[in-house]
Amino acid sequence: MSKLLDTIDSPAELRALQENQLIQVAQELREFIIDIVSTKEGHLGASLGVVELTIALHYVFNTPDDQLVWDVGHQAYGHKLLTERKSRFHTNRQLDGISGFPKRAESIYDAFGVGHSSTAISAALGMALASIINKNFDKQHIAVVGDASIASGMAFEGLNHAGVTDANLLVILNDNAIGIDPSVGALKQYLTQVKNGNNPRQNNMIKSLNFDYTGPIDGHDLPKLISELKRLKDIKGPKFLHIITTKGKGLKQAEANQVLYHAPGKFDKVTGEILPKDEQNLPPKFQDVFGLTLVELANQNDKIVGITPAMPTGSSMKYLMESHPERAFDVGIAEQHAVTLAAGMATQGLQVFCNIYSTFMQRAYDQIIHDVALQNLPVIFCLDRAGLVGEDGATHQGVFDISYLNCIPNMIIYAPLDEFELRDIMYTAQLGMEHPIAIRYPRGRGRNVNWQKSFEKVDITKAKTLFNGGSIAVISTGVIGNDIQDIILEDSEIAQKISHYHFSTIKPLDANLLDYIAENSDYVVTIEEGSIIGGFGSHISTYYNMKGMNVKMNHFGIPDVFIEHGNVKEQSKQCGIDVNTLKKVFKSF
């Protein structure tokens, strides 16, 4: 049988097919996604779950004139394949390839760039209201939102506004009871009752917000989906379609283990089995150092609690949730709530470890300032995935946290060199702090196999001299200091030129050591895996300027551009902070 997908490069060609041919297209689309992701890696389960919905949307609506917004975008692979990117899909998430998320600069079919959750309703509503202003009353605006994303505050803000407008907006709830981890909260319980036909309150919260509500319907029943979308297309005002799907649909293992197959790595496309990796005798992932250390500390300190906004697996908060479930809280995709919840707990004397990815911490900036730092509450923020993150690209880079936290009074910022320093600062923080602290650490593995050593209390006011060499002072923060140590050990010429200082504490700076460096160095170089503008090096320059010290300096870090997808080594090279580039810099002195 010839493949219909081979004849489709755009939605116009999809719409030229007979409706009874679309089920074959769905099968071929699933096979294509599985075939590529099995070898190239990426997000699998979410896209498999919306194959029928993707086809139905592009078949019924006149995209790209009609605006289609995917929330988060994990589920947009089928969308990309049907919108002129099938021939390039093998480059997904690779350097200079297509993005793993919808991206306006990549395609006219990507109506809105996404990557963080719960933005689709607000964006699509903005487009719909603009169409009214522009007197384009026939244009359609569709937001596809998952049940985990719709629980976020911003999604409800969008629903609240949309319900009092005449906007031509269709919100589609893709309800599969899972985000990256299983969905949580009272809204999830409500949706479960609706799906089961057992809503004891006999009311519908979406209808109460003035939406024309339909559902729930089977999101894998393609004829039913097409029929319903055609009907809704002719209804004016805000509409809401509730569909039930299965994440990982079409791949047995992905359906059975939806957390693991969200982004499974390489797997056998025939059997679905994930290809084993030899991880014996490897150093730990930093997230596991955090998670296991937290359990170790919680066993000794009953005041310790943990909070994560929907990332128990990715942050390894799952270990505390398993060992001390009464002291670990997954609050769903709700970073603002997570931060203020932590603040409330801290007022009652608890030692709160609030673990939020660096890129998601941005979503709770007002709460960090107003609810934590202004009140000087000793919340312990653990910023996972700080620095360059690789294939997820620009929407997920954790490179801004130093800059956006540096300007906040009372905030301590700490970037450990290795697993030992991460453990020790966690131990120190739970002994009691006078201020809030943000501990930033990277995605990926550390360097030390035997990392579970006894704890030592950290003096956060002191930085370290790691190597006494020449009169060029190299000041680093975080794990990138290990690369500098490697360079020194491998190259005697460089070792004669430079001295290396490690500042785990970015704020407050060790003023005594900085004064010593200024007096005993001909030149100062700062290196960080964070934004140069407003970052660690900028902080040091400000210190020297305010003291009237004339110090020759240069800063290396993330330049003033968004760093696109690729692997971390490629991104480091782009930023000029990879080992080879730093070697050349040191040799040039």
Side-chain angles (χ1 to χ4, degrees):
M1 182 186 297
S2 61
K3 288 194 172 184
L4 290 172
L5 191 59
D6 291 342
T7 68
I8 301 169
D9 194 47
S10 71
E13 291 160 336
L14 177 73
R15 291 190 281 268
L17 298 178
Q18 298 297 314
E19 188 175 323
N20 60 12
Q21 294 177 291
L22 298 181
I23 291 176
Q24 181 183 334
V25 175
Q27 178 63 29
E28 292 173 4
L29 200 58
R30 276 199 173 87
E31 291 172 354
F32 196 103
I33 293 170
I34 291 170
D35 184 47
I36 297 294
V37 178
S38 67
T39 57
K40 300 295 184 179
E41 304 188 16
H43 296 105
L44 179 69
S47 287
L48 293 181
V50 295
V51 164
E52 287 83 8
L53 176 63
T54 303
I55 293 169
L57 286 168
H58 284 295
Y59 192 73
V60 172
F61 294 100
N62 186 32
T63 53
D65 293 335
D66 290 335
Q67 304 284 279
L68 174 58
V69 182
W70 298 91
D71 204 274
V72 184
H74 289 142
Q75 71 275 49
Y77 286 3
H79 161 78
K80 293 203 172 201
L81 291 172
L82 295 176
T83 54
E84 303 177 347
R85 285 167 279 186
K86 186 166 80 258
S87 63
R88 293 186 289 143
F89 190 70
H90 65 282
T91 69
N92 185 42
R93 293 162 46 92
Q94 297 175 20
L95 185 68
D96 299 325
I98 65 172
S99 170
F101 301 94
K103 182 179 178 183
R104 280 174 54 83
E106 184 179 291
S107 172
I108 58 172
Y109 293 94
D110 292 356
F112 200 73
V114 292
H116 292 185
S117 87
S118 314
T119 61
I121 297 173
S122 297
L125 176 59
M127 296 169 187
L129 292 175
S131 292
I132 292 174
I133 293 170
N134 293 329
K135 300 187 178 350
N136 189 345
F137 301 111
D138 295 323
K139 193 171 188 175
Q140 305 287 327
H141 315 84
I142 308 101
V144 182
V145 187
D147 58 283
S149 294
I150 204 168
S152 176
M154 186 176 177
F156 269 87
E157 291 169 21
L159 290 171
N160 181 58
H161 182 195
V164 294
T165 72
D166 295 324
N168 194 11
L169 171 70
L170 171 59
V171 176
I172 299 177
L173 173 61
N174 173 34
D175 186 355
N176 57 21
I178 189 166
I180 295 175
D181 283 281
S183 301
V184 297
L187 182 62
K188 181 261 182 86
Q189 294 175 355
Y190 168 81
L191 293 173
T192 300
Q193 290 174 335
V194 171
K195 285 186 285 188
N196 294 338
N198 179 29
N199 180 12
R201 295 179 181 83
Q202 294 302 310
N203 66 341
N204 184 296
M205 62 188 300
I206 303 301
K207 285 184 179 180
S208 299
L209 293 171
N210 301 327
F211 278 76
D212 185 309
Y213 174 89
T214 303
I217 67 172
D218 182 356
H220 301 299
D221 185 338
L222 195 44
K224 178 67 174 175
L225 274 176
I226 290 172
S227 172
E228 197 58 40
L229 290 175
K230 285 181 176 178
R231 185 185 72 82
L232 290 168
K233 190 175 180 180
D234 294 328
I235 296 176
K236 299 301 182 183
K239 299 150 287 191
F240 193 100
L241 174 60
H242 184 178
I243 71 170
I244 311 302
T245 63
T246 301
K247 188 171 181 178
K249 180 74 172 178
L251 187 66
K252 182 179 178 181
Q253 289 84 346
E255 292 184 34
N257 195 334
Q258 296 174 333
V259 173
L260 186 60
Y261 280 81
H262 172 75
K266 294 180 181 179
F267 61 95
D268 188 308
K269 65 181 180 182
V270 176
T271 67
E273 296 296 325
I274 294 175
L275 300 181
K277 297 178 182 178
D278 184 7
E279 296 185 341
Q280 290 185 332
N281 299 317
L282 289 179
K285 293 179 180 179
F286 274 96
Q287 68 185 59
D288 289 336
V289 174
F290 161 80
L292 295 170
T293 299
L294 186 60
V295 171
E296 194 175 341
L297 294 170
N299 290 339
Q300 304 167 14
N301 182 350
D302 61 7
K303 295 293 186 182
I304 286 177
V305 296
I307 297 172
T308 176
M311 299 302 292
T313 300
S315 69
S316 291
M317 185 70 77
K318 63 180 181 180
Y319 296 124
L320 187 67
M321 295 175 76
E322 291 165 357
S323 62
H324 299 283
E326 76 287 356
R327 289 196 271 147
F329 302 89
D330 177 359
V331 300
I333 303 176
E335 292 85 1
Q336 292 176 317
H337 168 58
V339 170
T340 304
L341 177 71
M345 289 180 168
T347 67
Q348 304 304 302
L350 296 182
Q351 303 292 340
V352 189
F353 285 81
C354 184
N355 188 301
I356 303 181
Y357 287 11
S358 170
T359 185
F360 299 144
M361 189 71 161
Q362 299 157 187
R363 294 161 62 94
Y365 194 53
D366 180 63
Q367 287 69 31
I368 299 167
I369 295 174
H370 188 272
D371 298 339
V372 176
L374 181 61
Q375 302 184 86
N376 203 21
L377 294 170
V379 175
I380 305 161
F381 294 111
C382 295
L383 306 190
D384 198 338
R385 271 67 166 176
L388 297 166
V389 297
E391 290 79 4
D392 281 342
T395 59
H396 281 60
Q397 306 288 14
V399 298
F400 304 114
D401 54 87
I402 299 174
S403 298
Y404 68 67
L405 295 174
N406 235 339
C407 61
I408 303 176
N410 292 332
M411 182 64 68
I412 299 167
I413 310 173
Y414 194 93
L417 179 70
D418 52 28
E419 303 93 317
F420 307 123
E421 286 196 353
L422 175 55
R423 279 172 57 79
D424 287 343
I425 190 60
M426 290 177 65
Y427 167 76
T428 303
Q430 59 88 43
L431 293 176
M433 303 287 286
E434 295 182 358
H435 307 286
I437 182 170
I439 305 167
R440 71 186 310 262
Y441 52 91
R443 181 186 185 190
R445 295 187 181 275
R447 293 187 170 215
N448 301 283
V449 175
N450 299 314
W451 56 275
Q452 288 180 297
K453 294 187 176 180
S454 57
F455 295 113
E456 294 183 14
K457 187 176 180 180
V458 173
D459 183 350
I460 63 168
T461 68
K462 301 296 184 185
K464 297 177 182 177
T465 301
L466 296 184
F467 184 78
N468 265 315
S471 60
I472 306 299
V474 176
I475 309 176
S476 65
T477 186
V479 297
I480 200 169
N482 294 293
D483 292 339
I484 298 164
Q485 284 298 101
D486 289 344
I487 292 170
I488 292 170
L489 291 172
E490 292 169 5
D491 195 309
S492 59
E493 178 190 349
I494 291 174
Q496 293 175 357
K497 292 183 175 184
I498 71 174
S499 294
H500 181 205
Y501 305 92
H502 166 63
F503 279 61
S504 289
T505 305
I506 297 169
K507 185 181 181 185
L509 290 168
D510 183 343
N512 290 331
L513 185 55
L514 285 178
D515 291 348
Y516 170 85
I517 291 169
E519 293 166 3
N520 292 277
S521 306
D522 295 329
Y523 201 81
V524 174
V525 177
T526 66
I527 301 174
E528 62 195 293
E529 199 170 315
S531 173
I532 292 176
I533 296 179
F536 171 64
S538 175
H539 192 26
I540 292 175
S541 282
T542 300
Y543 172 81
Y544 284 141
N545 287 337
M546 290 182 71
K547 291 202 70 173
M549 293 181 171
N550 184 19
V551 180
K552 296 180 180 178
M553 297 189 69
N554 199 356
H555 305 306
F556 289 84
I558 311 302
D560 188 26
V561 295
F562 289 108
I563 307 302
E564 299 294 348
H565 47 280
N567 63 48
V568 171
K569 287 185 178 179
E570 292 166 336
Q571 292 169 341
S572 296
K573 185 176 181 180
Q574 284 181 330
C575 297
I577 55 174
D578 61 301
V579 169
N580 289 333
T581 301
L582 292 177
K583 277 184 181 179
K584 292 175 183 176
V585 170
F586 296 156
K587 282 183 178 292
S588 70
F589 289 122

